[in-house]
Amino acid sequence: MTVFVATLFLPYTVNFDVPSKSRPASPEATRSQTTDVPAITPGLVPAVSLFTPSAGLVDTPGPIVQTPGATTDHERIFRPHVERPISLRLPSHIKLADAESPAIRDPRTISRADLHSPTWGKTVTWNQPPSRAKEPPPSDILKHADPRITREKATALLQSAQIKISGRRQRARTVSHERRFSEYSYTVEKAQIGNGGLFNAIDAVTDAGILEDKTWVGTLGCPTEALEDHLRANIAEKLENDYDSLAVFASDSDLNGHYEHYCKTILWPVFHYQVPDHPKSKAYEDHSWVYYVKVNEAFADRIAKNYKKGDIIWVHDYHLLLVPGLLRKKIPEAQIGFFLHTAFPSSEIFRCLAVRNNLLEGVLGASMIGFQNEEYGHHFLQTCSRLLNVEATKHGVILEDGRFVHVQTCPIGIDPKSLDAQRKLPEVSEWVRTIAEKYAGKRMIVGRDKLDNIRGVRQKMLSYELFLNKYPQYEDQVVLIQIATSSTEDPELSATVADIVTRINSSHSTLAHQPVVFLKQDIDFAQYLALLTIADCLMISSLREGMNLTSHEFIFCQDGKISNTKCAPLILSEFTGSATVFGKDALLVNPWHYTQCADSIKKALDMPDEERQRRWKAMSDIVGQYNATRWYESFMKALDHAWKEHSIRDSTSVPRLSVSGTTSKYRKANKRLIIIDYEGTLASWGAPTDIILTTPKRSIDVLNDLVEDKKNIVYVMSSRMPEEMERLFSQVSGIGMIAENGAFVQEPCTDDWTELTDLENIKTWKSGVRSILQYYVDRIEGSRIEERHSALVFDYTDAEDVSTAFKQAGECANHINDACRNQHVSAVPIEDGLIISEMDVNKGLAAQMISDKLEEGIVGTEEALPDFLLVIGDSREDEYVFNWAHKLEKANKIKDVVTVTLGARSTEASATLTQGVTGVLSILEKLVKREDPGQMNGSAK
Ligand SMILES: *[C@@H]1O[C@H](CO)[C@@H](O)[C@H](O)[C@H]1NC(C)=O
Ligand SMILES: *[C@@H]1O[C@H](CO)[C@@H](O)[C@H](O)[C@H]1NC(C)=O
Ligand SMILES: *[C@@H]1O[C@H](CO)[C@@H](O)[C@H](O)[C@H]1NC(C)=O
Ligand SMILES: *[C@@H]1O[C@H](CO)[C@@H](O)[C@H](O)[C@H]1NC(C)=O
């Protein structure tokens, strides 16, 4: 059994051994790292190492970007980020799990948790093929105004536009340059982009022996189109054999359109609340969706081809939202899990996406969906119920076919073991010393963020400025060291932040001290760990963030084992997933509230030792407990559970009802309980609100035959009201009835209805719900409210515009579910309507009451449960009764239990019948007749 871990970028990539002198260290290439080059520049060779391979960290001067607020002095301390295979420098006494591997350049060491910052295909360290990605077509290619342009035409247009652009711009590139990549050998390296937190977590469970057989599925993160087919095959083979990785090859343009466009400019902002109606936001309907689909399809194909029965597929993050759905179609029985590493927005934001339903349906192909915290899961459930009009419960979504998709919270964490090994590297201590010397006597507030709108660097700087203005006594005691990585994306934001920094510098610096050090460059991982180790405070001001492992790493590094600073406080934006994990023990702030942030900085600096230790200890316990291993195990456990439930309930795996088996059980029994659903089981479905009610003669006859047998106790159940049921079954004397989905029960041979619900309480919530419904009824022509004793039905069967009504009904359900959660009232979608009733009143509850009474001997002749139980139903409501029946069976209270469902929905029933109402009636007739051949002789005409 293999676990496929599908993530956009593999933890590995390739580096070609192009001799260094042939590397074109052109000024153009240098610029690509340092100035504001747009993300995709055709013809530019991205993969150029600026540093000779022999250059060690200490003697690498590297080009230093002059940044405002930083003097060369500081920049000499913080060197630009040069990532090399760290294992090269591993001291011999530190054993990493893969130490037995002969290759010293083993790329399997810890990944930075936040690898995503570099752009796809833009590594400065390695030689990788140049990108052949075409410039994206102009976005007006999808002329919304022009109805003649269909999707196919648009795609064709788009492709021709690409060819034009690429033809023009790319011809200049030399062929010889490309050939070089195929001529030279390559090595496999640890990737510099991708989901570092995930890489570390999977490595941790692999090392611990918890995960035995895994396969990464992903792209190489670098352009591959320039490579010849045989070379690509060779790389794929090597990765598969030596690195447990299935490489997915998509064309450079597809990957570019997918990642740089759809993911980065649309999904990422939407998932992080960059509100779409902001004038600067990108089009929410975008041509790059085509690429998003293509890359997702490439993943699904690659996995499906390698899948073997029993394998587990685990899909990660927002880049691959469609993969679960695509795989579900290809392999219906597969065990598929999905985990979203980022935040999930509220339905208000999500519904702005043009392809919202495709995305949701894609994710819902999974059996189990994991989120970083409760809030994101709740948003997801609410979005599903609102946009797809499916029923969402606290634990998941019930799809139309009855399949239940589980939703669970499993926050990711760090792997303390490997991080510990990493920070014991000698250069970390070296850096700790150097930095401590440089800022001796100062309190250091540290931040390292990507300079984009989501990380809130601007807010942080403004808060810090306010802090210095408000509390000038700290001016010469503190220094804020802010590392800003990757500033190419938003020049305007860069300029704003630079202005603030200059302002702080000019009004608060003295000759001897500068309270802000702002560096527009990334730093080495060892340096980063050193900075976390000696910081007096870490400040994270993200405006929205899935889970931030930086804060975990900070807390881990603050244990005082490497330096003397210990237990420094964490200032954490309340809009991060980490805030839900650490709670009050971090100093939670609203990054928009500058005064609060400024005061928190003061509080952090002034915090008494005892409080620092208490808070740190609590957070440290959480870091240790919510670790990577636990994350993996809790996800897998939930997935396993969800999938087992699916397989049992999958209607194709539920056997057909055995007629002979059932009749023989029936005949052997001395006392039988038979519960049959009415709508759709004994009579074909009419609209739930049909005024004229009739029961087919054949059904009445067979019920009479059943009731006549003294060994039988027969109930019919329905969603209709008691008085309707009395009318429907007036011709069958001695039948028991369950009305309004379990709210009322009438025992056989009595005239009284028992209420299973509190009618007074119902009155209270009904009035509130009625006013919500009225709002929608007023707006949907042809819809109406129907009163039941225990429920309200919103019915839009006759609505003029059913599709609009459908959407509105989703809104309405959401509205009611939010408003009435505390009253245990929920709105559940039914065909062309909603039914609003109390959550815990259902047919199962009624059935329970019947069995309780039988056990006590109140109903029937003797004090005993029957020895035969038959339940036939077809709808979601009947599942509760199946569940009750199986509980009795498991508890050995009833010997023979037969539960039968009609149709193809996912079910708990033990058997299915495929011929609908006719099938039900004929089996009931067989039961009645076979049992008493004399009667058969008698009634023969
Ligand atoms: C910041 O302030 C210091 C001290 O006044 C000064 O030397 C330095 O040039 C300033 N840097 C910038 C970028 O303004
Ligand atoms: C965590 O937050 C820091 C600081 O805001 C940021 O630089 C980093 O990219 C974040 N990590 C992840 C995994 O997003
Ligand atoms: C991870 O957490 C679990 C409990 O949450 C604990 O039993 C286990 O020892 C931890 N593993 C590591 C490596 O810290
Ligand atoms: C039913 O009828 C058949 C033939 O008509 C007869 O052989 C059989 O004995 C009858 N059974 C009973 C129980 O009367």
Side-chain angles (χ1 to χ4, degrees), residues 33-174:
Q33 187 216 13
T34 55
T35 59
D36 293 357
V37 180
I40 323 100
T41 314
L44 186 81
V45 182
V48 175
S49 175
L50 292 167
F51 313 100
T52 51
S54 62
L57 184 90
V58 187
D59 51 15
T60 305
I64 286 172
V65 200
Q66 289 300 322
T67 50
T71 63
T72 349
D73 194 22
H74 296 288
E75 281 167 350
R76 228 175 268 132
I77 296 283
F78 296 103
R79 279 163 202 287
H81 162 65
V82 191
E83 196 87 62
R84 276 149 305 111
I86 294 164
S87 48
L88 270 180
R89 342 177 84 243
L90 263 190
S92 55
H93 65 274
I94 293 173
K95 269 192 81 144
L96 283 172
D98 238 30
E100 73 273 10
S101 152
I104 17 164
R105 302 194 69 185
D106 176 14
R108 265 205 43 203
T109 49
I110 189 168
S111 297
R112 295 181 78 140
D114 53 354
L115 287 176
H116 348 70
S117 4
T119 304
W120 167 78
K122 286 248 163 81
T123 145
V124 289
T125 325
W126 298 318
N127 291 299
Q128 291 182 328
S131 170
R132 285 188 176 176
K134 289 130 197 166
E135 188 140 294
S139 49
D140 59 2
I141 201 147
L142 292 182
K143 271 256 166 22
H144 302 278
D146 192 345
R148 287 163 304 168
I149 300 189
T150 60
R151 179 171 275 272
E152 292 77 48
K153 267 195 201 153
T155 315
L157 261 177
L158 195 136
Q159 276 157 0
S160 72
Q162 283 169 2
I163 291 163
K164 267 189 228 144
I165 294 167
S166 65
R168 199 160 2 98
R169 302 242 185 130
Q170 296 213 318
R171 204 153 298 142
R173 216 188 26 238
T174 57

Side-chain angles (χ1 to χ4, degrees), residues 7 72 86 115 135 159 168 203 255 264 346 384 390 475 487 491 555 698 708 770 782 814 930:
T7 174
T72 349
I86 294 164
L115 287 176
E135 188 140 294
Q159 276 157 0
R168 199 160 2 98
D203 282 349
L255 203 52
K264 274 199 179 171
S346 111
C384 286
V390 292
E475 213 174 75
S487 56
I555 287 157
R698 198 174 160 199
E708 229 161 71
R770 206 179 286 113
N814 238 11
R930 285 240 189 106

Side-chain angles (χ1 to χ4, degrees), residues 377-397:
H378 179 69
H379 282 161
F380 176 77
L381 290 171
Q382 201 171 35
T383 306
C384 286
S385 112
R386 188 167 179 185
L387 299 180
L388 302 179
N389 232 344
V390 292
E391 186 187 353
T393 70
K394 221 159 78 196
H395 304 290
V397 179

Side-chain angles (χ1 to χ4, degrees), residues 113-114 116 448-450 455 540 542 545 547-548 550:
D114 53 354
H116 348 70
R448 175 181 166 277
D449 301 272
K450 193 170 153 190
R455 306 291 178 198
I540 291 179
S542 294
E545 174 115 57
M547 180 63 63
N548 198 300
T550 301

Side-chain angles (χ1 to χ4, degrees), residues 655-722:
R656 243 177 259 279
L657 179 70
S658 147
V659 177
S660 58
T662 311
T663 31
S664 82
K665 282 177 193 164
Y666 180 89
R667 262 183 290 166
K668 269 189 280 172
N670 293 317
K671 183 173 174 183
R672 318 181 188 102
L673 176 58
I674 299 166
I675 304 182
I676 309 168
D677 175 51
Y678 176 64
E679 299 98 330
T681 306
L682 276 177
S684 311
W685 263 104
T689 48
D690 268 355
I691 313 274
I692 302 152
L693 302 171
T694 50
T695 308
K697 172 89 173 46
R698 198 174 160 199
S699 306
I700 297 288
D701 285 349
V702 78
L703 286 176
N704 269 321
D705 288 348
L706 280 173
V707 174
E708 229 161 71
D709 187 329
K710 289 291 163 274
K711 290 179 178 172
N712 292 345
I713 303 166
V714 185
Y715 280 87
V716 283
M717 51 187 178
S718 162
S719 65
R720 297 182 194 261
M721 291 193 285

Side-chain angles (χ1 to χ4, degrees), residues 17 40 120 317 376 444 462 497 515 589 679 728 736 803 875 902:
D17 295 331
I40 323 100
W120 167 78
D317 227 359
Y376 307 149
M444 288 168 65
L462 287 171
V497 172
V589 293
E679 299 98 330
L728 280 168
S803 65
S875 68
L902 280 67

Side-chain angles (χ1 to χ4, degrees), residues 66 234 243 265 493 542 562 596 744:
Q66 289 300 322
N234 183 288
Y243 294 93
T265 65
L493 177 70
S542 294
I562 302 282
Q596 185 196 30
F744 300 92

